[in-house]
Amino acid sequence: MFTQGIAGAIPKMRSGETSGAMTDDPERFEELVREHQAMVFSMACRYLRNRALAEEIAQDVFLQLYRKLPSLESSEHVLHWLRWVTAHRLIDHSRQEKRRPQSPLEDAGEPVAADSTGNADPLLSEMLRDLVASLPENARVVMILRYQEDLDPMDIARALDMPIATVKSHLQRSLALLREQLSRTKGVGL
Amino acid sequence: MNLDDELRAALRREDPAPDFTQRVLAGRVVARAKATHQSNRPIFRMAWAAAVAALLIIGLTATYEVRQMKAERAGRDAVLALRIAADKLNSAREKVVRLEN
């Protein structure tokens, strides 16, 4: 179910959304890129742990959006479409990567980002990013949508066309795994 | 902080490189040009086929015309040769008639 084709599988507008097809007007497209680039790039970056590759995939997703734009019906539809396509692009990418041998340089993670929140422990954040990136593909994308996009399980299920029970199960198992890994490696109890 | 908060902090959104938007827009222009080029391909193919067909017709017509001209010239040469031969025969016949008389 999760791996079904993108065409036709993306849910249409929810009730109450404004209708009217999006145009492929360049200025409108630029606005959409600026509005959603952080979301698409961050999903890719957290999933892949490689900034260059994340930018490349995000760029592809936006070019695909440009071609698809006239058939999308609203800003909400665009957001939903972007989440769907990015998630599937990332999963497809990591499945392809598994099939081909990698060079050590490609395995190198991204540099540690400076922590702008001031509250979080940068080392713990880095460790958590690494642990999330080591989760299985579907669980990883579920965790990213939950904690990066702050979606609840119902929205994640809708965004990925996945049963809600599967989403909850991925979340529970991933959190348990992260707690276990953290307590094992750093003795951090969260 | 609990794990949920730590995860939110660790997985918060991050901006791509400052030139990312420009690269996407440049990629759009390239993609659009490619699409236009591809959509123009049938027209180019039809124009190419028409040009080849026109050249073929012109070539065949020219060849036919040249052959026609050569045939006409050969016909004229043959008629001239027959006239010369007839003149020679006539003058020979007149000489014979004169000697006999």
Side-chain angles (χ1 to χ4, degrees), chain A residues 22-116:
Chain A
M22 308 293 289
T23 62
D24 59 355
D25 165 37
E27 282 178 18
R28 178 71 184 123
F29 177 66
E30 187 174 347
E31 273 174 35
L32 288 172
V33 174
R34 289 191 193 283
E35 188 182 339
H36 297 297
Q37 63 185 14
M39 185 260 291
V40 174
F41 168 73
S42 300
M43 277 179 74
C45 200
R46 300 305 175 222
Y47 189 96
L48 301 164
R49 301 289 281 138
N50 181 323
R51 289 186 69 93
L53 197 53
E55 284 197 358
E56 200 178 302
I57 285 180
Q59 199 170 336
D60 283 350
V61 169
F62 281 113
L63 291 180
Q64 201 177 333
L65 170 69
Y66 182 71
R67 289 192 291 270
K68 187 78 184 173
L69 213 47
S71 68
L72 300 179
E73 295 166 353
S74 64
S75 302
E76 190 67 22
H77 198 181
V78 169
L79 175 65
H80 196 84
W81 186 91
L82 281 171
R83 278 186 189 138
W84 167 278
V85 171
T86 308
H88 284 82
R89 221 8 126 76
L90 292 169
I91 290 168
D92 287 348
H93 176 83
S94 58
R95 286 180 182 160
Q96 281 167 6
E97 284 299 291
K98 272 184 188 171
R99 288 197 284 268
R100 76 174 182 89
Q102 287 190 327
S103 71
L105 268 179
E106 283 174 307
D107 289 334
E110 63 177 2
V112 179
D115 184 23
S116 59

Side-chain angles (χ1 to χ4, degrees), chain B:
Chain B
M1 259 210 278
N2 62 20
L3 184 55
D4 273 11
D5 293 335
E6 289 290 353
L7 276 166
R8 277 194 188 92
L11 301 182
R12 70 187 180 281
R13 282 186 184 180
E14 202 177 311
D15 282 321
D19 64 342
F20 178 79
T21 315
Q22 291 313 312
R23 275 188 280 140
V24 172
L25 297 177
R28 180 191 62 86
V29 173
V30 172
R32 197 172 197 176
K34 259 188 203 170
T36 312
H37 178 68
Q38 277 175 351
S39 69
N40 283 343
R41 266 187 195 167
I43 297 170
F44 281 126
R45 258 186 232 147
M46 281 173 66
W48 177 248
V52 169
L55 281 175
L56 216 64
I57 290 167
I58 291 168
L60 287 173
T61 310
T63 310
Y64 174 78
E65 295 264 321
V66 168
R67 281 188 184 170
Q68 194 75 9
M69 278 165 62
K70 276 184 183 172
E72 280 172 11
R73 194 187 297 161
R76 280 198 301 272
D77 288 351
V79 170
L80 185 65
L82 285 172
R83 271 185 195 156
I84 291 167
D87 285 349
K88 293 271 181 195
L89 282 172
N90 277 337
S91 63
R93 190 176 62 85
E94 280 168 10
K95 274 181 189 170
V96 170
V97 170
R98 218 178 294 141
L99 284 172
E100 279 177 355
N101 292 335

